[in-house]
Amino acid sequence: MALAQVNISLTSNDAEAKEQMGKIIYDGSNGKAYKYVQFKDAATVGQVLEYTSTSGTLVSPVKSAAVGRVAAGVALTTMTDEYFGWMQIKGINTAVKADGGVAAGAALVSDASLDGRVETATTATRGRVIGFSLAAD
């Protein structure tokens, strides 16, 4: 089977949708996956995003905008509010923003109080783990 090369800018910040909403692409060379979504609020590189609707295509780093505190992915570039672009949904990301108290190897969840950041999971939040820390922050 032949694979087609895809020329997509993962750091696009589009005023209107240029891809199918919810489109997922996989990079077999590094195990990463990305999803095309709309950013309800502005975001910066490394911010953890949460879904803001049940559509699965509207995201925000702002806690008060989230629906059910469901982690969606990580911002790959600075995004303008209401614009369209890619977020990372699978694989290693060394730009994820933490709360300053994460140890190497810790299970991570979206921070309960800081927008767009992660914190160490507790017994009560272990069901929402989104990844593991590769280094202390």
Side-chain angles (χ1 to χ4, degrees):
M1 175 172 86
L3 296 176
Q5 182 166 347
V6 179
N7 293 317
I8 293 176
S9 172
L10 294 174
T11 57
S12 61
N13 186 25
D14 306 323
E16 54 189 51
K18 304 269 173 129
E19 300 285 345
Q20 177 184 350
M21 292 298 294
K23 179 178 184 176
I24 295 174
I25 59 171
Y26 298 92
D27 184 339
S29 70
N30 60 20
K32 296 181 181 181
Y34 308 92
K35 186 175 184 179
Y36 195 75
V37 294
Q38 183 176 16
F39 288 73
K40 181 179 188 310
D41 300 292
T44 59
V45 175
Q47 281 192 306
V48 173
L49 307 165
E50 295 185 23
Y51 288 112
T52 62
S53 76
T54 57
S55 70
T57 58
L58 189 62
V59 299
S60 174
V62 179
K63 302 280 173 240
S64 60
V67 172
R69 301 296 319 277
V70 178
V74 178
L76 297 170
T77 190
T78 298
M79 293 298 302
T80 305
D81 61 318
E82 301 299 331
Y83 272 46
F84 301 85
W86 296 93
M87 66 177 175
Q88 184 177 338
I89 60 171
K90 180 180 183 244
I92 294 172
N93 186 310
T94 58
V96 172
K97 298 187 183 308
D99 68 356
V102 173
L108 304 172
V109 295
S110 290
D111 194 285
S113 57
L114 299 173
D115 288 341
R117 297 191 179 263
V118 293
E119 65 183 350
T120 303
T122 64
T123 302
T125 61
R126 285 235 181 247
R128 296 189 293 117
V129 170
I130 60 174
F132 295 89
S133 174
L134 298 175
D137 72 329

